[in-house]
């Protein structure tokens, strides 16, 4: 894959706070890259320095082999859709979409042709003559997208463009966005804190944490092999479970703790315990090396078909454990875990190994 | 708020309206009634028994009304125009600062308005003499600019501040240079604050006296109409003064009627995005 855009040692400080802190990232040509991270980790700042409305403190942004980090925004040929769409309220939808073309001094006939093409694609042809303040949220979002798409830029940046839509429209818009990106073959960089968006839209997901990329890969890779406990905790519909304990032999993927684990009908539920509460998605357990004792009871709470949560205390940092079994468990029951797949992290939270015991 | 308006409100509004209207009414009586019904009586009637244009015609013949009025118009348009020319960039710049700093700057600007006009006008007039700005339209306009500029900057700043910052960023991302960003996006969006700032500057200049009197006191060749008016009053020409005052209210009334829909409090506080 060709590298479209490359960030090298990018720093962005506001006064004393480090928003982007030695960020390195490569974006491939034609990919849909989702930048995912909790609020306040610099996602939006990353887009703003990319497009040029904020200056870098240090570092380089290279697009198609050219360092663009010193160029003003109007010379970068990068389109951006802001979170609030930033439609020009004094203009109609048509004028909004035509604005970038007008600024590029395109002939009137070409502007007209391009605007009508893109508005056909995005199904907003009938609202073109309306003032944008009169449009619905979904229409505004399409107009903003159309304005970005119409000028044929080198890369598209989208800052949580779906977050202002209501849930149902959002799901539709999401699939359309993906379709449009595939059809046009453009490079999209999409910022969100919504994991379901990341999962459904992305070719790759870059996880941003404290101003640098914590991990980048497909969403499945991130789910399967979070490179740190932080990512494991952050990604997925539910956080990973972490059990602090000593690392030991782990025969056949069975993870148990010395001394204290009694089991319910030993073997009966072997292979059926899921940690992570991710439904069918994963069978992870993480064991970080810790010499503290592991006297651990699992108190099972209520649940349908015993597949619901349990509550643990003590060494369980995450207390939700899913169990797939037809057997009902009672509070105070003890079980032994059998794990198909789990990751082992060091005390600092870095991945040591990923074990697939299947 | 109850949907039904209390009839008392109308009574109060009417009373207030009459109160404000009364001086204008007296002016009207003096200007259009024969002098025997106004100055000829110890207790003039409050209703016009006879209407005449003689006073007006005579006044225009006896004293130069048009000269000062035209000069006032010139000055007022220069003051209004200059206020926008300086106030728009200043308001834009100050709006970009953090509120902590910009509030201090605004307060600093208003120091001019807090001081008595004379305190500032006299030293300024000295400089104006050496710059040959005394007794000139430009001189009066520049001096009056001092009075109107702080409020103009304040209003324009409010306008810029009410715009989402991303609009400007979006325009830049869309490839617009600063000039187009201003001309096509920012200025059209703050047209109401701009208009208000212009009208207020214009009206302030229109009846500004202190600076005009000190910078250009010579009646009728150099002064603006408030100075000329003052001159006629002190020379005991009440009829001419009344006529003059009446004529002078016409442009203000026209302005207010034309732009009244914009002259609402909400625009002065800068909440223009609907």
């Amino acid at each position: 894959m060709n590298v479209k855009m490359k960030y090298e040692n990018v720093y962005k400080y506001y006064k004393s706070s480090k928003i982007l802190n030695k960020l390195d990232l490569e974006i491939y040509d034609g990919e849909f890259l989702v930048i995912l991270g909790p609020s306040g980790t610099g996602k939006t700042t990353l887009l703003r320095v990319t497009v040029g409305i904020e200056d870098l403190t240090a570092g380089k942004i290279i697009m198609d082999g050219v360092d663009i980090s010193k160029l003003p925004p109007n010379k970068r040929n990068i389109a951006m859709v802001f979170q609030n769409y930033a439609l020009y309220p004094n203009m109609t939808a048509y004028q909004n979409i035509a604005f970038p073309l007008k600024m590029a001094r395109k002939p009137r006939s070409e502007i007209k042709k391009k605007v009508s093409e893109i508005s056909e694609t995005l199904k907003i042809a009938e609202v073109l003559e309306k003032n944008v303040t009169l449009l619905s949220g979904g229409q505004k979002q399409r107009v903003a997208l159309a304005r970005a798409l119409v000028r044929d830029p080198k890369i598209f940046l989208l800052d949580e463009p779906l977050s202002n839509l209501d849930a149902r429209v959002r799901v539709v818009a999401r699939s359309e966005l993906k379709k449009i990106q595939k059809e046009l073959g453009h490079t999209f960089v999409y910022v969100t804190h919504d994991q379901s968006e990341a999962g459904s839209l992305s070719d790759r997901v870059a996880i941003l944490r404290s101003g640098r990329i914590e991990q980048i890969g497909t969403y499945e890779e991130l789910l399967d092999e979070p490179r740190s406990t932080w990512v494991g905790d952050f990604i997925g519909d539910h956080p990973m479970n972490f059990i602090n304990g000593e690392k030991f032999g782990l025969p056949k993927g069975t993870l148990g703790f010395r001394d204290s684990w009694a089991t319910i009908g030993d073997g009966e539920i072997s292979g059926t315990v899921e940690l992570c509460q991710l439904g069918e998605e994963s069978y992870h357990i993480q064991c970080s090396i810790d010499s503290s004792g592991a006297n651990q009871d699992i108190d099972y709470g209520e649940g349908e078909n015993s597949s619901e949560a349990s509550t643990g205390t003590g060494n369980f940092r995450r207390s939700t454990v899913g169990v797939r079994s037809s057997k009902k468990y009672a509070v105070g029951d003890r079980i032994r875990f059998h794990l198909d797949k789990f990751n082992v992290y060091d005390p600092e939270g870095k991945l040591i190994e990923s074990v697939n015991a299947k | 708020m109850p949907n039904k308006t209390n009839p008392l409100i109308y009574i109060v509004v009417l009373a207030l309206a009459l109160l404000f209207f009364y001086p204008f009414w007296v002016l009207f009586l003096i200007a259009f009634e024969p002098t025997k019904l106004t100055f000829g009586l110890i207790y003039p009637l409050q209703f016009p028994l006879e209407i005449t244009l003689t006073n007006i015609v005579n006044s225009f013949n006896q004293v130069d009304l048009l000269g000062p009025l035209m000069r006032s118009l010139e000055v007022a348009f220069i003051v209004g125009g200059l206020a926008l020319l300086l106030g728009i960039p200043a308001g834009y710049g100050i709006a970009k600062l953090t509120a902590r700093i910009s509030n201090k700057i605004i307060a600093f600007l208003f120091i001019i308005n807090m001081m008595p006009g004379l305190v500032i006008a006299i030293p300024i007039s000295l400089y104006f003499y050496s710059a040959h700005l005394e007794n000139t339209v430009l001189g009066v306009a520049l001096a009056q600019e001092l009075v109107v500029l702080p409020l103009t900057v304040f209003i324009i700043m409010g306008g810029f501040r009410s715009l989402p910052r991303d609009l400007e960023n979006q325009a830049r991302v869309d490839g617009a240079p600063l000039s187009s960003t201003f001309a096509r996006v920012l200025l059209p969006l703050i047209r109401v604050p701009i208009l208000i700032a212009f009208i207020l500057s214009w009206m302030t200049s229109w009846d500004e006296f202190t600076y005009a009197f000190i910078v250009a006191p010579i009646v009728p060749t150099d002064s603006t109409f408030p100075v000329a008016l003052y001159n006629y009053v002190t020379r005991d020409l009440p009829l001419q003064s009344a006529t003059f005052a009446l004529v002078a209210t016409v442009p203000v009334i026209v302005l207010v009627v034309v732009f009244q829909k914009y002259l609402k409090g909400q625009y002065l506080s800068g909440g223009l995005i609907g």
Side-chain angles (χ1 to χ4, degrees):
Chain A
M1 278 240 199
N2 289 331
V3 174
K4 183 80 184 167
M5 179 112 90
K6 195 173 175 191
Y7 298 77
E8 287 179 3
N9 285 328
V10 164
Y11 290 85
K12 175 68 186 173
Y13 294 174
Y14 287 112
K15 291 174 186 163
S16 59
S17 59
K18 301 170 179 178
I19 308 296
L20 299 178
N21 196 9
K22 197 175 187 312
L23 180 134
D24 291 291
L25 175 64
E26 283 182 355
I27 299 169
Y28 299 140
D29 201 4
E31 80 169 327
F32 201 123
L33 178 72
V34 171
I35 312 268
L36 183 66
S39 309
T41 46
K43 301 190 297 289
T44 297
T45 305
L46 180 61
L47 293 194
R48 294 171 84 91
V49 298
T50 308
V51 82
I53 52 184
E54 309 261 6
D55 292 328
L56 289 183
T57 307
K60 272 185 192 169
I61 300 173
I62 292 160
M63 184 166 69
D64 292 334
V66 181
D67 183 0
I68 59 161
S69 35
K70 298 281 187 288
L71 290 178
N74 49 341
K75 304 270 187 243
R76 292 196 187 190
N77 200 14
I78 297 173
M80 177 160 171
V81 176
F82 287 82
Q83 188 171 6
N84 54 13
Y85 311 140
L87 296 174
Y88 308 122
N90 53 327
M91 301 182 194
T92 63
Y94 179 92
Q95 289 168 325
N96 263 278
I97 301 170
F99 188 80
L101 297 175
K102 239 181 215 169
M103 289 301 111
R105 298 178 192 281
K106 299 276 189 230
R108 193 172 287 258
S109 56
E110 189 190 332
I111 294 179
K112 203 162 183 188
K113 187 165 154 276
K114 283 200 164 173
V115 173
S116 64
E117 273 174 17
I118 196 73
S119 47
E120 287 296 326
T121 313
L122 291 173
K123 303 187 187 79
I124 43 171
E126 70 279 11
V127 299
L128 280 182
E129 294 312 318
K130 276 195 189 169
N131 186 290
V132 287
T133 50
L134 303 174
L135 302 182
S136 71
Q139 289 168 334
K140 282 181 183 169
Q141 185 254 339
R142 283 149 194 266
V143 172
L145 199 62
R147 183 175 58 184
L149 291 166
V150 77
R151 50 188 277 219
D152 200 23
K154 294 189 170 172
I155 197 162
F156 290 92
L157 311 180
L158 300 102
D159 188 2
E160 310 212 18
L162 306 184
S163 62
N164 290 344
L165 304 180
D166 62 59
R168 198 171 293 180
V169 183
R170 196 183 309 162
V171 173
V172 178
R174 191 191 293 166
S175 61
E176 282 178 4
L177 193 61
K178 181 74 181 168
K179 212 173 93 195
I180 289 163
Q181 189 262 343
K182 281 280 160 273
E183 277 172 15
L184 300 174
H186 286 308
T187 312
F188 271 47
V189 179
Y190 185 104
V191 152
T192 184
H193 64 267
D194 183 333
Q195 304 223 5
S196 54
E197 280 182 11
S200 58
L201 284 170
S202 66
D203 294 323
R204 289 194 305 160
V205 178
I207 300 212
L208 198 59
R209 179 197 180 191
S210 312
R212 69 175 80 188
I213 302 294
E214 180 86 1
Q215 187 171 355
I216 184 165
T218 65
Y219 189 66
E220 291 69 29
E221 278 169 16
L222 295 180
L223 276 179
D224 278 355
E225 276 182 43
R227 242 178 263 157
S228 64
T229 48
W230 188 86
V231 174
D233 188 42
F234 174 69
I235 202 147
D237 290 339
H238 298 278
M240 264 189 166
N241 288 286
F242 299 105
I243 300 170
N244 297 322
E246 246 174 275
K247 188 188 170 200
F248 61 101
L250 307 169
K252 289 181 185 171
T254 309
L255 186 70
F257 289 87
R258 270 177 283 195
D259 314 326
S260 58
W261 290 98
T263 59
I264 307 162
D266 195 2
E268 187 185 336
I269 58 166
S270 140
T272 61
V273 176
E274 299 170 359
L275 291 182
C276 285
Q277 186 69 4
L278 288 174
E280 309 297 316
E281 287 175 45
S282 68
Y283 295 77
H284 298 192
I285 188 170
Q286 296 163 338
C287 178
S288 58
I289 297 168
D290 184 351
S291 58
S292 68
N295 280 322
Q296 182 57 61
D297 284 22
I298 298 184
D299 304 320
Y300 286 91
E302 78 278 40
E304 278 176 64
N305 296 328
S306 313
S307 63
E308 272 293 316
S310 70
T311 316
T313 49
N315 290 324
F316 276 88
R317 268 179 56 205
R318 294 290 158 204
S319 54
T320 317
V321 177
V323 180
R324 260 198 306 180
S325 165
S326 55
K327 190 178 182 317
K328 289 250 182 197
Y329 297 103
V331 169
D333 285 351
R334 296 176 160 215
I335 60 166
R336 191 170 69 187
F337 293 104
H338 176 95
L339 299 157
D340 294 326
K341 205 170 174 189
F342 55 91
N343 297 322
V344 184
Y345 296 89
D346 71 12
E348 274 78 49
K350 281 213 185 85
L351 182 68
I352 298 172
E353 59 177 326
S354 184
V355 181
N356 191 343
K358 259 184 183 168
Chain B
M1 284 292 281
N3 287 332
K4 221 172 149 189
T5 314
N6 192 328
L8 258 177
I9 299 257
Y10 290 112
I11 296 170
V12 173
V13 167
L14 194 68
L16 274 175
L18 285 176
L19 192 69
F20 286 116
F21 183 70
Y22 184 67
F24 191 73
W25 179 244
V26 173
L27 215 55
F28 176 83
L29 290 179
I30 295 174
F32 289 105
E33 274 194 311
T35 40
K36 61 175 176 138
L37 291 178
T38 50
F39 296 107
L41 296 176
I42 296 173
Y43 299 109
L45 289 172
Q46 295 300 310
F47 299 99
L49 296 179
E50 206 181 325
I51 294 288
T52 172
L53 284 176
T54 332
N55 297 338
I56 307 262
V57 175
N58 287 346
S59 299
F60 271 92
N61 289 336
Q62 284 158 14
V63 295
D64 182 9
L65 294 183
L66 274 183
L69 274 178
M70 293 313 288
R71 225 162 289 122
S72 274
L73 273 181
E74 274 180 66
V75 171
F77 277 106
I78 294 176
V79 167
L82 202 59
L84 294 186
L85 205 65
L86 297 173
I88 288 173
Y92 175 75
I94 295 174
K96 292 223 152 178
L97 300 172
T98 60
R100 206 166 52 89
I101 299 172
S102 66
N103 289 348
K104 283 188 181 125
I105 293 178
I106 290 288
F108 187 71
L109 283 177
F110 276 109
I111 285 180
I112 293 281
N113 298 53
M114 294 170 198
M115 290 161 100
L118 273 177
V119 173
I120 298 164
I122 290 169
I124 277 181
S125 67
L126 291 179
Y127 282 109
F128 276 25
Y129 273 103
S130 39
H132 303 294
L133 284 169
E134 86 282 9
N135 294 318
T136 62
V137 164
L138 185 63
V140 177
L142 285 178
Q144 292 181 345
E145 201 62 43
L146 271 180
V147 186
V148 302
L149 202 51
L151 188 61
T152 305
V153 172
F154 183 69
I155 292 171
I156 304 266
M157 180 200 74
F160 277 121
R161 197 162 268 177
S162 70
L163 298 180
R165 184 68 68 89
D166 276 341
L167 274 183
E168 189 186 339
N169 291 331
Q170 179 72 57
R172 291 167 70 198
V173 169
D174 282 342
L178 193 63
S179 55
S180 307
T181 306
F182 256 88
R184 288 170 184 272
V185 178
L186 299 181
L187 295 187
L189 287 173
I190 61 158
R191 61 188 182 279
V192 172
I194 287 176
L195 193 66
I196 287 168
F198 181 81
I199 293 172
L200 289 182
S201 306
W202 196 97
M203 293 204 297
T204 307
S205 162
W206 184 248
D207 70 3
E208 200 283 332
F209 178 75
T210 312
Y211 289 92
F213 183 70
I214 287 176
V215 173
I218 301 170
V219 176
T221 53
D222 297 313
S223 63
T224 55
F225 100 84
V227 179
L229 190 60
Y230 167 77
N231 191 272
Y232 298 141
V233 172
T234 52
R235 277 164 54 196
D236 208 7
L237 295 169
L239 198 58
Q240 286 80 349
S241 308
T243 313
F244 205 177
L246 198 67
V247 173
T249 52
V250 172
V252 179
I253 292 171
V254 169
L255 263 187
V256 171
V257 167
V258 171
F259 295 117
Q260 58 144 339
K261 65 172 175 167
Y262 300 114
L263 292 173
K264 292 177 191 157
Q266 75 197 70
Y267 293 127
L268 295 177
S269 58
L272 83 159
I273 293 292

